[in-house]
Amino acid sequence: MSTWSLLAKQTGKNMMGLRTGMWALRARSGGIMVTSVRTAADRPDPWNYLWQPGPYPRTQEEREAAAKKYGLIVEDYKPYPDDGRGLGDYPNLPVRCMDSKPGQYNWDIPEEKRNFGEPLHMNFHLMLASRPSLSVRPRYTQFQYLRWFLGLISFFTLFQLIAGEYEWFHPFSERQTPGPYKKKFYSFELE
Amino acid sequence: MYTDRGLYRLLLQPPLNRQYIKCLRNKDLSVTMGNIIPDYVREFNSNPQGAPVHCFVPTYDPNFGFDGKRKEMKMVATVEEMDAAKIPPQNRDFCAHLLIEYKKCIHLKPSVMCSHDLHNWDLCQYDQSTRRVMEYEREFRLKQREIRMNKKANAEAMAA
């Protein structure tokens, strides 16, 4: 029971009920509604197959055709191995993250630092500026990081296991608040 | 060039007077009682019956070991006053009347003009903390004394 339906029951207005129904439809079957509308309208035209890679190139002619299709010269074109991943003739491009590309160059698409018609790496979305840079060389090796992590964790764990067995507190008696029952407290001066 | 003008003056000034902080660092009040691991902590960890815990309730007679009777602490502020000033329960102690004064002052004047009242309340709290630590030390020593006396009595009984 949502707040909107409760409000509709209280007010009993037709408009509120309509709004509630719309809200429920949107919440429960919004995605299905949108897709069904799109497929029914046929607009925009289905385009996914246009960007599918072709079959893996076996002959030299096929390789040349594939290189031309992706805007590369034959020497630069190198497909992914045909190991059943279904990448077909898509080129295996060198990894080039956005930090390694010059920022002062007049790119066609400066947000992504690339030119129009430039072939994209298969994992181009992992090389955007919002992703960790691949051009930075870490200061320490992964093994050193792991060593420090495990060392510090085990040090603090051991310290807690040993020191946690002992009590440590400050030398204070109870708080000197008389309270409703007029508890008595004494000064160290004599009467 | 005037080296005693502007920010250079800060460099020429003597270090801040830390008399007040020295007062707070009184050895009698230091929580370690003059050691890295204090005696009472060591005693409590080796023998929990030998030292009182934090915030204990005194068990011995308050006048035991004194030449006369100890002065009883008097509550100055009444419950109605504390209710009116919205004093929280943890501050309804023997310094509550000073806290009420301070609250009254900051209600009527800018708070920077009430440092005197605040300091009065602070000193009262300091005395109270001192009293609490002294109570702890008294309880600790009396407990140790009791243990020593019991040991002696047991040894005498074994010898006899």
Side-chain angles (χ1 to χ4, degrees), chain B residues 11-42:
Chain B
L11 295 172
L12 296 171
Q13 267 181 353
L16 287 170
N17 187 8
R18 295 189 178 268
Q19 202 59 44
Y20 180 63
I21 294 168
K22 261 186 197 168
C23 160
L24 283 178
R25 282 183 188 165
N26 193 347
K27 271 227 165 164
D28 293 336
L29 231 195
S30 91
V31 288
T32 56
M33 282 189 177
N35 224 333
I36 295 285
I37 298 173
D39 286 347
Y40 67 92
V41 166
R42 236 179 288 144

PDB file of all heavy atoms in Angstrom, chain B residues 11-42:
ATOM      1  N   LEU B  11      56.463  36.073  15.161  1.00  0.00           N
ATOM      2  CA  LEU B  11      57.714  35.341  15.337  1.00  0.00           C
ATOM      3  C   LEU B  11      58.501  35.856  16.531  1.00  0.00           C
ATOM      4  O   LEU B  11      59.206  35.114  17.198  1.00  0.00           O
ATOM      5  CB  LEU B  11      58.569  35.462  14.070  1.00  0.00           C
ATOM      6  CG  LEU B  11      57.994  34.813  12.821  1.00  0.00           C
ATOM      7  CD1 LEU B  11      58.849  35.173  11.621  1.00  0.00           C
ATOM      8  CD2 LEU B  11      57.956  33.300  12.989  1.00  0.00           C
ATOM      9  N   LEU B  12      58.378  37.180  16.789  1.00  0.00           N
ATOM     10  CA  LEU B  12      59.143  37.775  17.877  1.00  0.00           C
ATOM     11  C   LEU B  12      58.526  37.511  19.237  1.00  0.00           C
ATOM     12  O   LEU B  12      59.193  37.622  20.253  1.00  0.00           O
ATOM     13  CB  LEU B  12      59.256  39.292  17.657  1.00  0.00           C
ATOM     14  CG  LEU B  12      60.032  39.703  16.406  1.00  0.00           C
ATOM     15  CD1 LEU B  12      59.887  41.190  16.171  1.00  0.00           C
ATOM     16  CD2 LEU B  12      61.494  39.341  16.561  1.00  0.00           C
ATOM     17  N   GLN B  13      57.232  37.166  19.252  1.00  0.00           N
ATOM     18  CA  GLN B  13      56.548  36.980  20.532  1.00  0.00           C
ATOM     19  C   GLN B  13      57.122  35.792  21.296  1.00  0.00           C
ATOM     20  O   GLN B  13      57.536  34.804  20.681  1.00  0.00           O
ATOM     21  CB  GLN B  13      55.065  36.729  20.289  1.00  0.00           C
ATOM     22  CG  GLN B  13      54.237  37.994  20.341  1.00  0.00           C
ATOM     23  CD  GLN B  13      52.783  37.709  20.127  1.00  0.00           C
ATOM     24  OE1 GLN B  13      52.405  36.600  19.809  1.00  0.00           O
ATOM     25  NE2 GLN B  13      51.969  38.726  20.299  1.00  0.00           N
ATOM     26  N   PRO B  14      57.127  35.863  22.613  1.00  0.00           N
ATOM     27  CA  PRO B  14      57.519  34.692  23.397  1.00  0.00           C
ATOM     28  C   PRO B  14      56.461  33.605  23.261  1.00  0.00           C
ATOM     29  O   PRO B  14      55.327  33.892  22.890  1.00  0.00           O
ATOM     30  CB  PRO B  14      57.589  35.237  24.820  1.00  0.00           C
ATOM     31  CG  PRO B  14      56.702  36.413  24.822  1.00  0.00           C
ATOM     32  CD  PRO B  14      56.794  37.002  23.454  1.00  0.00           C
ATOM     33  N   PRO B  15      56.786  32.342  23.528  1.00  0.00           N
ATOM     34  CA  PRO B  15      55.774  31.278  23.440  1.00  0.00           C
ATOM     35  C   PRO B  15      54.626  31.524  24.404  1.00  0.00           C
ATOM     36  O   PRO B  15      54.763  32.226  25.407  1.00  0.00           O
ATOM     37  CB  PRO B  15      56.558  30.022  23.794  1.00  0.00           C
ATOM     38  CG  PRO B  15      57.803  30.498  24.438  1.00  0.00           C
ATOM     39  CD  PRO B  15      58.100  31.828  23.849  1.00  0.00           C
ATOM     40  N   LEU B  16      53.483  30.929  24.108  1.00  0.00           N
ATOM     41  CA  LEU B  16      52.271  31.141  24.901  1.00  0.00           C
ATOM     42  C   LEU B  16      52.480  30.674  26.341  1.00  0.00           C
ATOM     43  O   LEU B  16      53.209  29.721  26.603  1.00  0.00           O
ATOM     44  CB  LEU B  16      51.117  30.337  24.291  1.00  0.00           C
ATOM     45  CG  LEU B  16      50.559  30.885  22.983  1.00  0.00           C
ATOM     46  CD1 LEU B  16      49.622  29.870  22.375  1.00  0.00           C
ATOM     47  CD2 LEU B  16      49.792  32.169  23.273  1.00  0.00           C
ATOM     48  N   ASN B  17      51.827  31.369  27.230  1.00  0.00           N
ATOM     49  CA  ASN B  17      51.890  30.999  28.633  1.00  0.00           C
ATOM     50  C   ASN B  17      51.027  29.762  28.857  1.00  0.00           C
ATOM     51  O   ASN B  17      49.832  29.786  28.658  1.00  0.00           O
ATOM     52  CB  ASN B  17      51.372  32.163  29.484  1.00  0.00           C
ATOM     53  CG  ASN B  17      51.565  31.897  30.944  1.00  0.00           C
ATOM     54  OD1 ASN B  17      52.216  30.923  31.302  1.00  0.00           O
ATOM     55  ND2 ASN B  17      51.014  32.742  31.770  1.00  0.00           N
ATOM     56  N   ARG B  18      51.675  28.674  29.235  1.00  0.00           N
ATOM     57  CA  ARG B  18      50.951  27.416  29.390  1.00  0.00           C
ATOM     58  C   ARG B  18      50.738  27.072  30.864  1.00  0.00           C
ATOM     59  O   ARG B  18      50.699  25.905  31.239  1.00  0.00           O
ATOM     60  CB  ARG B  18      51.688  26.292  28.686  1.00  0.00           C
ATOM     61  CG  ARG B  18      51.736  26.504  27.189  1.00  0.00           C
ATOM     62  CD  ARG B  18      52.265  25.294  26.495  1.00  0.00           C
ATOM     63  NE  ARG B  18      52.243  25.512  25.054  1.00  0.00           N
ATOM     64  CZ  ARG B  18      51.224  25.173  24.282  1.00  0.00           C
ATOM     65  NH1 ARG B  18      50.151  24.624  24.798  1.00  0.00           N
ATOM     66  NH2 ARG B  18      51.273  25.391  22.983  1.00  0.00           N
ATOM     67  N   GLN B  19      50.607  28.111  31.698  1.00  0.00           N
ATOM     68  CA  GLN B  19      50.428  27.860  33.121  1.00  0.00           C
ATOM     69  C   GLN B  19      49.172  27.058  33.398  1.00  0.00           C
ATOM     70  O   GLN B  19      49.136  26.146  34.207  1.00  0.00           O
ATOM     71  CB  GLN B  19      50.366  29.193  33.861  1.00  0.00           C
ATOM     72  CG  GLN B  19      50.705  29.114  35.328  1.00  0.00           C
ATOM     73  CD  GLN B  19      52.098  28.565  35.546  1.00  0.00           C
ATOM     74  OE1 GLN B  19      53.023  28.945  34.862  1.00  0.00           O
ATOM     75  NE2 GLN B  19      52.222  27.647  36.484  1.00  0.00           N
ATOM     76  N   TYR B  20      48.093  27.387  32.668  1.00  0.00           N
ATOM     77  CA  TYR B  20      46.808  26.733  32.884  1.00  0.00           C
ATOM     78  C   TYR B  20      46.894  25.259  32.539  1.00  0.00           C
ATOM     79  O   TYR B  20      46.383  24.398  33.249  1.00  0.00           O
ATOM     80  CB  TYR B  20      45.750  27.429  32.033  1.00  0.00           C
ATOM     81  CG  TYR B  20      44.377  26.855  32.168  1.00  0.00           C
ATOM     82  CD1 TYR B  20      43.698  26.890  33.380  1.00  0.00           C
ATOM     83  CD2 TYR B  20      43.762  26.264  31.084  1.00  0.00           C
ATOM     84  CE1 TYR B  20      42.450  26.364  33.496  1.00  0.00           C
ATOM     85  CE2 TYR B  20      42.510  25.719  31.193  1.00  0.00           C
ATOM     86  CZ  TYR B  20      41.847  25.766  32.407  1.00  0.00           C
ATOM     87  OH  TYR B  20      40.608  25.228  32.523  1.00  0.00           O
ATOM     88  N   ILE B  21      47.592  24.952  31.418  1.00  0.00           N
ATOM     89  CA  ILE B  21      47.731  23.563  31.014  1.00  0.00           C
ATOM     90  C   ILE B  21      48.590  22.807  32.010  1.00  0.00           C
ATOM     91  O   ILE B  21      48.315  21.665  32.351  1.00  0.00           O
ATOM     92  CB  ILE B  21      48.313  23.494  29.590  1.00  0.00           C
ATOM     93  CG1 ILE B  21      47.308  24.077  28.607  1.00  0.00           C
ATOM     94  CG2 ILE B  21      48.659  22.088  29.201  1.00  0.00           C
ATOM     95  CD1 ILE B  21      47.861  24.325  27.245  1.00  0.00           C
ATOM     96  N   LYS B  22      49.636  23.482  32.535  1.00  0.00           N
ATOM     97  CA  LYS B  22      50.480  22.853  33.548  1.00  0.00           C
ATOM     98  C   LYS B  22      49.635  22.462  34.747  1.00  0.00           C
ATOM     99  O   LYS B  22      49.836  21.409  35.342  1.00  0.00           O
ATOM    100  CB  LYS B  22      51.555  23.831  33.988  1.00  0.00           C
ATOM    101  CG  LYS B  22      52.889  23.604  33.333  1.00  0.00           C
ATOM    102  CD  LYS B  22      53.905  24.541  33.955  1.00  0.00           C
ATOM    103  CE  LYS B  22      55.126  24.626  33.053  1.00  0.00           C
ATOM    104  NZ  LYS B  22      55.979  25.740  33.480  1.00  0.00           N
ATOM    105  N   CYS B  23      48.691  23.314  35.086  1.00  0.00           N
ATOM    106  CA  CYS B  23      47.814  23.037  36.222  1.00  0.00           C
ATOM    107  C   CYS B  23      47.010  21.772  35.956  1.00  0.00           C
ATOM    108  O   CYS B  23      46.852  20.922  36.822  1.00  0.00           O
ATOM    109  CB  CYS B  23      46.892  24.236  36.433  1.00  0.00           C
ATOM    110  SG  CYS B  23      45.430  23.878  37.360  1.00  0.00           S
ATOM    111  N   LEU B  24      46.546  21.591  34.699  1.00  0.00           N
ATOM    112  CA  LEU B  24      45.776  20.402  34.382  1.00  0.00           C
ATOM    113  C   LEU B  24      46.652  19.160  34.367  1.00  0.00           C
ATOM    114  O   LEU B  24      46.182  18.064  34.575  1.00  0.00           O
ATOM    115  CB  LEU B  24      45.121  20.558  33.014  1.00  0.00           C
ATOM    116  CG  LEU B  24      43.892  21.433  32.980  1.00  0.00           C
ATOM    117  CD1 LEU B  24      43.392  21.543  31.580  1.00  0.00           C
ATOM    118  CD2 LEU B  24      42.816  20.895  33.885  1.00  0.00           C
ATOM    119  N   ARG B  25      47.980  19.376  34.100  1.00  0.00           N
ATOM    120  CA  ARG B  25      48.874  18.231  34.052  1.00  0.00           C
ATOM    121  C   ARG B  25      49.442  17.915  35.435  1.00  0.00           C
ATOM    122  O   ARG B  25      50.572  17.464  35.564  1.00  0.00           O
ATOM    123  CB  ARG B  25      50.006  18.507  33.071  1.00  0.00           C
ATOM    124  CG  ARG B  25      49.577  18.331  31.645  1.00  0.00           C
ATOM    125  CD  ARG B  25      50.747  18.536  30.748  1.00  0.00           C
ATOM    126  NE  ARG B  25      50.314  18.565  29.357  1.00  0.00           N
ATOM    127  CZ  ARG B  25      51.065  19.012  28.379  1.00  0.00           C
ATOM    128  NH1 ARG B  25      52.257  19.489  28.650  1.00  0.00           N
ATOM    129  NH2 ARG B  25      50.633  19.015  27.157  1.00  0.00           N
ATOM    130  N   ASN B  26      48.664  18.192  36.459  1.00  0.00           N
ATOM    131  CA  ASN B  26      49.083  17.873  37.813  1.00  0.00           C
ATOM    132  C   ASN B  26      49.318  16.371  37.922  1.00  0.00           C
ATOM    133  O   ASN B  26      48.537  15.576  37.435  1.00  0.00           O
ATOM    134  CB  ASN B  26      47.978  18.309  38.771  1.00  0.00           C
ATOM    135  CG  ASN B  26      48.470  18.295  40.180  1.00  0.00           C
ATOM    136  OD1 ASN B  26      49.524  17.750  40.469  1.00  0.00           O
ATOM    137  ND2 ASN B  26      47.711  18.897  41.052  1.00  0.00           N
ATOM    138  N   LYS B  27      50.410  16.004  38.557  1.00  0.00           N
ATOM    139  CA  LYS B  27      50.746  14.580  38.636  1.00  0.00           C
ATOM    140  C   LYS B  27      49.697  13.810  39.427  1.00  0.00           C
ATOM    141  O   LYS B  27      49.446  12.650  39.165  1.00  0.00           O
ATOM    142  CB  LYS B  27      52.117  14.421  39.287  1.00  0.00           C
ATOM    143  CG  LYS B  27      53.242  14.468  38.286  1.00  0.00           C
ATOM    144  CD  LYS B  27      54.192  13.340  38.538  1.00  0.00           C
ATOM    145  CE  LYS B  27      55.118  13.152  37.349  1.00  0.00           C
ATOM    146  NZ  LYS B  27      56.270  12.336  37.666  1.00  0.00           N
ATOM    147  N   ASP B  28      49.105  14.459  40.426  1.00  0.00           N
ATOM    148  CA  ASP B  28      48.137  13.755  41.259  1.00  0.00           C
ATOM    149  C   ASP B  28      46.895  13.398  40.461  1.00  0.00           C
ATOM    150  O   ASP B  28      46.188  12.465  40.792  1.00  0.00           O
ATOM    151  CB  ASP B  28      47.754  14.622  42.454  1.00  0.00           C
ATOM    152  CG  ASP B  28      48.928  14.808  43.373  1.00  0.00           C
ATOM    153  OD1 ASP B  28      49.830  13.964  43.345  1.00  0.00           O
ATOM    154  OD2 ASP B  28      48.945  15.812  44.096  1.00  0.00           O
ATOM    155  N   LEU B  29      46.600  14.188  39.402  1.00  0.00           N
ATOM    156  CA  LEU B  29      45.392  13.927  38.634  1.00  0.00           C
ATOM    157  C   LEU B  29      45.672  13.094  37.399  1.00  0.00           C
ATOM    158  O   LEU B  29      44.756  12.647  36.753  1.00  0.00           O
ATOM    159  CB  LEU B  29      44.761  15.255  38.183  1.00  0.00           C
ATOM    160  CG  LEU B  29      43.291  15.432  38.472  1.00  0.00           C
ATOM    161  CD1 LEU B  29      42.749  16.577  37.680  1.00  0.00           C
ATOM    162  CD2 LEU B  29      42.499  14.184  38.173  1.00  0.00           C
ATOM    163  N   SER B  30      46.967  12.930  37.041  1.00  0.00           N
ATOM    164  CA  SER B  30      47.237  12.238  35.772  1.00  0.00           C
ATOM    165  C   SER B  30      46.706  10.818  35.861  1.00  0.00           C
ATOM    166  O   SER B  30      46.857  10.137  36.871  1.00  0.00           O
ATOM    167  CB  SER B  30      48.723  12.226  35.489  1.00  0.00           C
ATOM    168  OG  SER B  30      49.298  11.064  36.029  1.00  0.00           O
ATOM    169  N   VAL B  31      46.049  10.392  34.794  1.00  0.00           N
ATOM    170  CA  VAL B  31      45.344   9.120  34.843  1.00  0.00           C
ATOM    171  C   VAL B  31      46.283   7.934  34.960  1.00  0.00           C
ATOM    172  O   VAL B  31      45.880   6.849  35.340  1.00  0.00           O
ATOM    173  CB  VAL B  31      44.455   8.960  33.606  1.00  0.00           C
ATOM    174  CG1 VAL B  31      43.285   9.879  33.690  1.00  0.00           C
ATOM    175  CG2 VAL B  31      45.234   9.196  32.348  1.00  0.00           C
ATOM    176  N   THR B  32      47.562   8.126  34.599  1.00  0.00           N
ATOM    177  CA  THR B  32      48.477   7.006  34.723  1.00  0.00           C
ATOM    178  C   THR B  32      49.055   6.905  36.125  1.00  0.00           C
ATOM    179  O   THR B  32      49.724   5.931  36.438  1.00  0.00           O
ATOM    180  CB  THR B  32      49.642   7.148  33.732  1.00  0.00           C
ATOM    181  OG1 THR B  32      50.263   8.400  33.969  1.00  0.00           O
ATOM    182  CG2 THR B  32      49.153   7.084  32.318  1.00  0.00           C
ATOM    183  N   MET B  33      48.816   7.890  36.958  1.00  0.00           N
ATOM    184  CA  MET B  33      49.338   7.930  38.325  1.00  0.00           C
ATOM    185  C   MET B  33      50.838   7.696  38.331  1.00  0.00           C
ATOM    186  O   MET B  33      51.372   6.876  39.082  1.00  0.00           O
ATOM    187  CB  MET B  33      48.627   6.901  39.197  1.00  0.00           C
ATOM    188  CG  MET B  33      47.262   7.385  39.629  1.00  0.00           C
ATOM    189  SD  MET B  33      46.559   6.306  40.832  1.00  0.00           S
ATOM    190  CE  MET B  33      45.060   7.174  41.187  1.00  0.00           C
ATOM    191  N   GLY B  34      51.540   8.363  37.429  1.00  0.00           N
ATOM    192  CA  GLY B  34      52.988   8.353  37.465  1.00  0.00           C
ATOM    193  C   GLY B  34      53.634   7.133  36.875  1.00  0.00           C
ATOM    194  O   GLY B  34      54.756   6.805  37.202  1.00  0.00           O
ATOM    195  N   ASN B  35      52.966   6.417  35.974  1.00  0.00           N
ATOM    196  CA  ASN B  35      53.576   5.266  35.341  1.00  0.00           C
ATOM    197  C   ASN B  35      52.948   5.042  33.983  1.00  0.00           C
ATOM    198  O   ASN B  35      51.848   5.507  33.718  1.00  0.00           O
ATOM    199  CB  ASN B  35      53.365   4.028  36.206  1.00  0.00           C
ATOM    200  CG  ASN B  35      54.621   3.223  36.297  1.00  0.00           C
ATOM    201  OD1 ASN B  35      55.441   3.273  35.395  1.00  0.00           O
ATOM    202  ND2 ASN B  35      54.763   2.468  37.367  1.00  0.00           N
ATOM    203  N   ILE B  36      53.673   4.313  33.125  1.00  0.00           N
ATOM    204  CA  ILE B  36      53.109   4.010  31.803  1.00  0.00           C
ATOM    205  C   ILE B  36      51.909   3.081  31.980  1.00  0.00           C
ATOM    206  O   ILE B  36      50.809   3.359  31.505  1.00  0.00           O
ATOM    207  CB  ILE B  36      54.168   3.354  30.899  1.00  0.00           C
ATOM    208  CG1 ILE B  36      55.302   4.324  30.604  1.00  0.00           C
ATOM    209  CG2 ILE B  36      53.529   2.877  29.604  1.00  0.00           C
ATOM    210  CD1 ILE B  36      54.989   5.390  29.615  1.00  0.00           C
ATOM    211  N   ILE B  37      52.122   1.962  32.664  1.00  0.00           N
ATOM    212  CA  ILE B  37      50.996   1.099  33.052  1.00  0.00           C
ATOM    213  C   ILE B  37      50.774   1.303  34.534  1.00  0.00           C
ATOM    214  O   ILE B  37      51.617   0.928  35.358  1.00  0.00           O
ATOM    215  CB  ILE B  37      51.285  -0.385  32.734  1.00  0.00           C
ATOM    216  CG1 ILE B  37      51.484  -0.558  31.233  1.00  0.00           C
ATOM    217  CG2 ILE B  37      50.141  -1.259  33.203  1.00  0.00           C
ATOM    218  CD1 ILE B  37      51.934  -1.923  30.837  1.00  0.00           C
ATOM    219  N   PRO B  38      49.680   1.937  34.921  1.00  0.00           N
ATOM    220  CA  PRO B  38      49.517   2.297  36.330  1.00  0.00           C
ATOM    221  C   PRO B  38      49.362   1.077  37.230  1.00  0.00           C
ATOM    222  O   PRO B  38      49.008  -0.011  36.779  1.00  0.00           O
ATOM    223  CB  PRO B  38      48.243   3.131  36.331  1.00  0.00           C
ATOM    224  CG  PRO B  38      47.756   3.204  34.967  1.00  0.00           C
ATOM    225  CD  PRO B  38      48.609   2.421  34.075  1.00  0.00           C
ATOM    226  N   ASP B  39      49.616   1.300  38.511  1.00  0.00           N
ATOM    227  CA  ASP B  39      49.566   0.210  39.484  1.00  0.00           C
ATOM    228  C   ASP B  39      48.191  -0.411  39.555  1.00  0.00           C
ATOM    229  O   ASP B  39      48.043  -1.627  39.616  1.00  0.00           O
ATOM    230  CB  ASP B  39      49.948   0.753  40.872  1.00  0.00           C
ATOM    231  CG  ASP B  39      51.432   1.021  40.968  1.00  0.00           C
ATOM    232  OD1 ASP B  39      52.160   0.562  40.067  1.00  0.00           O
ATOM    233  OD2 ASP B  39      51.845   1.685  41.920  1.00  0.00           O
ATOM    234  N   TYR B  40      47.176   0.447  39.553  1.00  0.00           N
ATOM    235  CA  TYR B  40      45.828  -0.093  39.752  1.00  0.00           C
ATOM    236  C   TYR B  40      45.395  -0.939  38.561  1.00  0.00           C
ATOM    237  O   TYR B  40      44.672  -1.925  38.720  1.00  0.00           O
ATOM    238  CB  TYR B  40      44.839   1.042  40.005  1.00  0.00           C
ATOM    239  CG  TYR B  40      44.612   1.965  38.829  1.00  0.00           C
ATOM    240  CD1 TYR B  40      43.587   1.722  37.943  1.00  0.00           C
ATOM    241  CD2 TYR B  40      45.419   3.064  38.602  1.00  0.00           C
ATOM    242  CE1 TYR B  40      43.364   2.544  36.858  1.00  0.00           C
ATOM    243  CE2 TYR B  40      45.224   3.893  37.534  1.00  0.00           C
ATOM    244  CZ  TYR B  40      44.199   3.626  36.667  1.00  0.00           C
ATOM    245  OH  TYR B  40      43.987   4.433  35.594  1.00  0.00           O
ATOM    246  N   VAL B  41      45.869  -0.568  37.337  1.00  0.00           N
ATOM    247  CA  VAL B  41      45.537  -1.369  36.151  1.00  0.00           C
ATOM    248  C   VAL B  41      46.236  -2.718  36.234  1.00  0.00           C
ATOM    249  O   VAL B  41      45.642  -3.775  35.984  1.00  0.00           O
ATOM    250  CB  VAL B  41      45.931  -0.611  34.869  1.00  0.00           C
ATOM    251  CG1 VAL B  41      45.919  -1.534  33.672  1.00  0.00           C
ATOM    252  CG2 VAL B  41      44.994   0.544  34.634  1.00  0.00           C
ATOM    253  N   ARG B  42      47.509  -2.697  36.632  1.00  0.00           N
ATOM    254  CA  ARG B  42      48.245  -3.954  36.777  1.00  0.00           C
ATOM    255  C   ARG B  42      47.586  -4.833  37.831  1.00  0.00           C
ATOM    256  O   ARG B  42      47.376  -6.027  37.642  1.00  0.00           O
ATOM    257  CB  ARG B  42      49.689  -3.637  37.166  1.00  0.00           C
ATOM    258  CG  ARG B  42      50.697  -4.232  36.210  1.00  0.00           C
ATOM    259  CD  ARG B  42      52.093  -3.875  36.615  1.00  0.00           C
ATOM    260  NE  ARG B  42      52.399  -2.482  36.374  1.00  0.00           N
ATOM    261  CZ  ARG B  42      53.174  -1.736  37.156  1.00  0.00           C
ATOM    262  NH1 ARG B  42      53.690  -2.250  38.255  1.00  0.00           N
ATOM    263  NH2 ARG B  42      53.433  -0.486  36.852  1.00  0.00           N
TER     264      ARG B  42
END
